[in-house]
């Protein structure tokens, strides 16, 4: 743990305040000028935001808890629903107000993450280095942009960083020697807090599950002797309450067919892979063994008041692991109660994991974003900060190899472990998908880069006289901080994702709909095209399957989104798009409407437009 003088701490707080104020000064256009009068307008530039606004509005209009919901982001949405419910008691609630509330929650999550990064780094790296870590995060283009987006990612990241901080606190005081795996000890109270924060992250967007290996490591480092008094009665009470119903449930599970289990989880049959079926069979076999054992233990306790073996080290360790798991699941259940319906989170994780791959076996395209060499509009950190991060990774790996956990190394090794676990997931699964998937790595990378900067400063201190070292440290830290701030804010000040008006072509096609199309028409519209809100029967999509399902009267396409199809791709997903365009070219069924830039509506030949537009023919 690092200690600083009151003057240095004051400088750190003023610096942190300046970072927060700069973000607060940057964000008003996103709250007050952005195009957000209704979700149809929002859909022209951000389909995810439109869907999430619509989900909150639907929840508020539904009786009780019976409403359709997104399959992730529930803690984020629960907070938005609660705030919106209070807001509509005091003021009229419209879709712009919902967007404002959702953006506000993202902003608070972003500022909370920056503050937690500062607290984390100040405790283990010192105030000035902590200020650098906060600056990296507060000037990361992608992080700041997502802190102003209607997405649950930033709130999830806040809980993940908080979990890592509490995990580090659980292992204080750190072992001062080398080769100290066996000497590490964890405090159960901080570990439970870390597990609860990870559960809240899991209840937001599932990435909290990447903390589970570290939580298990912590559970096996809690001293059993220190928990003897608290654990002496706890296992007996837990078994008395839970063993019998749990054992009966496991026995019933063992006798269910795998079709019944997967059907209960709402997994479509065409998604049942051999690995999934094998996992279900193993689960049934384990249930057949564990169920009768738990029932027997519960009956033994009911008859004698004791259960043999509960005072063994194995039982006490199992109780600690169970307690950590219970803290994780309790936070998840409280933050996302709807996902417990048919254990919907299992379906969501499984289906999303199948849909993520970009077609490559492995992929490193997102990695270059850390160094500004690919799509600078999605830059995570500056070039110099990226090099410091590489230095920090190398230094931490060397410390891990030597089992050197002195000073700040163990907390930063925890950070590195999550970084590496998630990076492996990105390489193996996500591949060439959007840059936002690696957003979680940004705060972790900020801490690792800060550690790299601290290592460079320590190296200078060992080689220079004190006065020379102070000058060199000021130049080093000042240069890296200035480079990061300049590189990040030079892009942010372009307001890259601020939309204040409909595009010209969307204004024109919106006016055409209002002038020519009856409000009762069924419309299939390509993503990011505008359809006025008075048209209630709207489906967003651009495929033949969507068209046959809806049987629309009007179809709007975006010519720029039409790919170049070839016959050898007709068996793939692109064939569905190709079939749509082939169908629209049939003049017996469809007649093209006027073009508005790349947008063009097609109207069924047997569908009558309003009188002023009926003369428009192909």
């Amino acid at each position: 743990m690092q200690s600083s003088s009151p003057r240095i701490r004051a400088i750190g707080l003023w610096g942190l305040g300046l970072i927060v104020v700069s973000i607060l000064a940057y964000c008003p256009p996103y709250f007050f000028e952005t195009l957000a009068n209704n979700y149809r307008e929002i859909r022209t530039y951000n389909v995810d935001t439109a869907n999430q606004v619509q989900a909150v509005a639907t929840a508020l209009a539904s009786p009780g808890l019976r409403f359709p919901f997104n399959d992730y982001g529930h803690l984020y949405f629960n907070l938005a629903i609660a705030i919106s419910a209070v807001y509509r008691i005091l003021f009229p609630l419209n879709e712009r107000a919902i967007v404002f509330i959702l953006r506000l929650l993202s902003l608070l999550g972003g500022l909370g993450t920056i503050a937690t990064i500062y607290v984390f780094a100040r405790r283990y790296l010192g105030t000035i280095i902590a200020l650098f870590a906060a600056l990296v995060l507060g000037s990361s283009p992608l992080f700041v942009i997502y802190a102003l987006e209607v997405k649950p990612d930033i709130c999830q990241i806040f809980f993940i960083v908080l979990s890592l901080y509490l995990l580090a606190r659980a292992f204080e005081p750190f072992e001062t020697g080398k080769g100290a795996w066996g000497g590490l000890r964890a405090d159960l109270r901080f570990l439970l807090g870390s597990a609860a924060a990870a559960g809240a992250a899991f209840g937001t967007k599932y990435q909290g599950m990447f903390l589970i290996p570290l939580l298990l490591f912590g559970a096996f480092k809690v001293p059993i002797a220190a928990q003897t008094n608290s654990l002496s009665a706890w296992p007996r009470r837990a078994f008395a309450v839970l063993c019998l119903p749990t054992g009966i449930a496991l026995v019933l599970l063992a006798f269910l067919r795998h079709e019944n289990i997967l059907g209960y989880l709402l997994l479509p049959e065409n998604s049942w892979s051999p690995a999934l079926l094998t996992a279900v069979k193993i689960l049934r076999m384990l249930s057949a063994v564990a169920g009768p054992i738990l029932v027997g233990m519960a009956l033994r306790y009911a008859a004698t008041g004791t259960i043999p073996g509960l005072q063994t080290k194995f039982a006490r360790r199992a109780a600690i692991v169970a307690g950590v798991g219970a803290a994780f699941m309790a936070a998840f259940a409280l933050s996302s109660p709807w996902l417990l319906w048919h254990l919907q989170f299992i379906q969501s994780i499984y289906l999303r994991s199948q849909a993520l791959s970009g077609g490559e076996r492995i992929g490193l395209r997102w990695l270059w974003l850390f160094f500004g060499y690919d799509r600078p509009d999605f830059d995570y950190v500056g070039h110099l900060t990226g090099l410091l991060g590489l230095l920090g990774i190398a230094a931490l790996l060397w410390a891990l190899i030597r089992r050197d956990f002195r000073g700040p190394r163990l907390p930063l090794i925890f950070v590195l472990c999550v970084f590496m676990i998630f990076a492996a997931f990105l390489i193996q699964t996500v591949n060439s998908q959007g840059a936002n998937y690696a957003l979680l790595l940004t705060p972790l990378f900020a801490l690792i880069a800060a550690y790299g900067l601290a290592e460079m400063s320590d190296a200078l201190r060992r080689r220079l006289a004190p006065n020379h070292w102070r000058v060199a440290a000021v130049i080093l830290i000042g240069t890296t901080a200035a480079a990061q701030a300049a590189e990040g804010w030079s892009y942010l000040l372009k307001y890259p994702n601020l939309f204040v008006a409909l595009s010209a072509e969307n204004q024109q096609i919106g006016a055409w709909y209002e002038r020519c199309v009856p409000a009762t028409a069924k419309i299939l519209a390509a993503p990011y095209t505008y359809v006025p809100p008075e048209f209630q029967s709207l489906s967003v999509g651009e495929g033949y399957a969507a068209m046959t399902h809806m049987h629309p009267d009007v179809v709007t396409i975006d010519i720029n989104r039409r790919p170049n199809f070839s016959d050898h791709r007709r068996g793939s997903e692109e064939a569905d798009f190709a079939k749509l365009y082939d169908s629209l070219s049939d003049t017996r069924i469809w007649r093209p409407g006027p073009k508005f830039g790349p947008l063009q509506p097609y109207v069924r030949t047997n569908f009558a437009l309003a009188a002023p537009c009926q003369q428009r023919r192909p």
Side-chain angles (χ1 to χ4, degrees), residues 505-525:
E505 55 267 22
N506 270 319
Q507 292 181 35
Q508 293 165 5
I509 198 170
W512 179 82
Y513 270 112
E514 292 175 335
R515 185 177 68 254
C516 298
V517 181
T520 56
K522 294 187 292 183
I523 300 169
L524 176 66

Side-chain angles (χ1 to χ4, degrees), residues 256-265 267 269 272 277 280 284:
L256 288 176
R257 300 176 62 186
H258 69 271
E259 294 90 348
N260 301 113
I261 297 173
L262 295 176
Y264 176 81
L265 296 176
L267 289 170
E269 189 170 351
W272 296 358
L277 295 175
V280 172
R284 291 173 60 196

Side-chain angles (χ1 to χ4, degrees), residues 529-542:
T529 59
Y530 181 63
V531 178
E534 58 262 31
F535 294 90
Q536 297 298 312
S537 183
L538 170 68
S539 178
V540 179
E542 45 186 352

